[in-house]
């Protein structure tokens, strides 16, 4: 399913919330998807605002609403990106603490650091693997329990996430140029642990643009466009990767696509039998609930001497 062509404004977007080179826009998602594309909404003193105004004037009377909405999207700083970057230290610390004991993580987790699931994917290259927190809209309860802070931060950020996972890339490895052949979802990365961050050793190329991952920064791009990646460092690269619904999708589009995912997981959702279908719907509802997990809190109570069972008198 395609939403945009290779001229997509999402070919590569690095969210630079604090950059002095970019004016942070005050427009909202509601402004962007607004039916009113005949009235300029971007700051008139900016280049983006001038282009928007000129588009409206030059093509007056013609329907170029999709073009204008796409142009506006380039100026939109996604709130979830700001929230994730703000909570980067918490996500990084929880992640590093968990991978500090890989044997324990593998023992307690579900399918930890899984490799390619298909021959097509394995052809992209070796040395990359994933640790899944959400797959096709369904939280992995086991792994969420191991990363409760990260999972809750992503949930609270409001990002329209479809898939969520940590992705590792081994030292001196690459992922070959390829396309994911669909763009009803876009891909977003939060750089967690980039070896020698800022030295250009870990890079991602989308189309004809190449960027390096920078610790704590979020990027957004369209993987239907040919892309590749490289880690030239002598250490493993780690990112938090999200597949997010394309903003051009309506709420009904998202629900319909999620229903298709659910049918693949629970075939009885399409059963002609009302009873079987009802039970399947209940199961699907439970499947999408955020797992009830508790984060560990440091106790403020002082330890007291006690017996062997730990009960002081």
């Amino acid at each position: 399913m395609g939403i945009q062509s290779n001229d997509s404004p999402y070919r590569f977007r690095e969210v630079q919330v604090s950059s002095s080179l970019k004016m942070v826009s005050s427009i909202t998602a509601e402004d962007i998807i607004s039916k009113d594309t005949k009235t300029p909404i971007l700051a008139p003193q900016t280049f983006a605002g001038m282009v928007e105004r000129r588009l409206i004037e030059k093509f007056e009377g013609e329907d170029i609403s999709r073009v204008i909405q796409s142009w506006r999207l380039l100026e939109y700083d996604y709130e979830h990106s700001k929230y994730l970057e703000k909570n980067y230290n918490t996500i990084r610390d929880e992640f590093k603490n968990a991978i500090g004991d890989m044997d324990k993580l593998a023992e307690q987790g579900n399918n930890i650091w899984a490799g390619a699931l298909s021959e097509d994917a394995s052809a992209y290259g070796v040395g990359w693997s994933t640790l899944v927190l959400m797959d096709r809209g369904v939280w992995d309860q086991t792994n969420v329990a191991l990363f409760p802070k990260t999972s809750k931060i992503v949930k609270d950020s409001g990002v329209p996430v479809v898939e969520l996972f940590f992705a590792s890339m081994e030292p001196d490895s690459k992922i070959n140029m390829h396309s994911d052949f669909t763009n009803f979802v876009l891909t977003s990365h939060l750089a967690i642990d980039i070896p020698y961050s800022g030295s250009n050793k870990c890079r991602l190329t989308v189309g004809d643009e190449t960027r390096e991952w920078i610790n704590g920064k979020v990027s957004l791009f369209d993987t239907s466009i040919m892309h590749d990646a490289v880690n030239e460092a002598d250490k493993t690269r780690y990112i938090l990767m999200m597949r997010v619904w394309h903003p051009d999708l309506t709420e009904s589009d998202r629900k319909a696509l999620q229903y298709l995912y659910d049918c693949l997981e629970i075939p009885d959702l399409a059963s002609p039998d009302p009873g079987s279908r009802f039970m399947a719907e209940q199961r699907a509802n439970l499947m999408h609930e955020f797992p009830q997990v508790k984060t560990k809190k440091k106790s403020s109570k002082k330890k007291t001497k006690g017996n062997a069972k730990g009960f002081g008198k």
Side-chain angles (χ1 to χ4, degrees), residues 15-24 217:
V15 182
Q16 304 256 5
V17 175
S18 59
S19 172
S20 60
L21 299 178
K22 176 176 175 59
M23 178 176 292
V24 177
K217 291 298 181 182

Side-chain angles (χ1 to χ4, degrees), residues 266-280:
I266 311 174
D268 274 351
L269 283 170
S271 172
D273 176 59
S276 297
R277 200 164 57 244
F278 174 79
M279 295 300 295

Side-chain angles (χ1 to χ4, degrees), residues 141-253:
Q141 295 194 25
T142 300
N143 291 345
V144 166
L146 298 175
F147 298 92
K149 294 179 181 178
T150 298
S151 301
K152 190 173 187 304
I153 287 169
V154 173
K155 174 180 175 292
D156 291 346
S157 73
V159 56
V161 65
V162 183
E163 295 177 2
L164 173 67
F165 51 91
F166 292 105
S168 68
M169 191 172 181
E170 292 180 359
D172 194 26
S173 65
K174 68 176 182 178
I175 299 174
N176 297 325
M177 187 69 74
H178 67 283
S179 167
D180 291 348
F181 301 110
T182 184
N183 70 346
F184 62 83
V185 290
L186 299 177
T187 296
S188 185
H189 291 173
L190 172 63
I192 300 296
D193 188 6
I194 309 302
Y196 316 108
S197 179
S199 64
N200 206 38
K201 289 184 176 295
C202 297
R203 303 182 301 278
L204 175 68
T205 297
V206 181
D208 58 0
E209 280 193 69
T210 299
R211 304 281 182 91
E212 64 173 316
W213 286 284
I214 299 293
N215 281 332
K217 291 298 181 182
V218 172
S219 57
L220 177 72
F221 57 99
D222 183 343
T223 53
S224 69
I225 299 172
M226 297 295 286
H227 60 285
D228 63 10
V230 62
N231 177 7
E232 295 177 343
D234 56 1
K235 299 178 182 179
T236 302
R237 180 232 64 182
Y238 294 104
I239 60 171
L240 181 65
M241 186 166 173
M242 293 157 279
R243 307 281 195 194
V244 301
W245 293 123
H246 195 294
D248 275 4
L249 294 175
T250 65
E251 186 63 25
S252 295
D253 289 334

Side-chain angles (χ1 to χ4, degrees), residues 102-123:
M102 286 293 197
D103 290 337
K104 180 180 178 182
L105 184 61
E107 180 182 345
Q108 296 182 345
N110 178 35
N111 209 20
I112 300 298
W113 299 127
L117 298 178
S118 68
E119 291 185 7
D120 287 342
S122 63

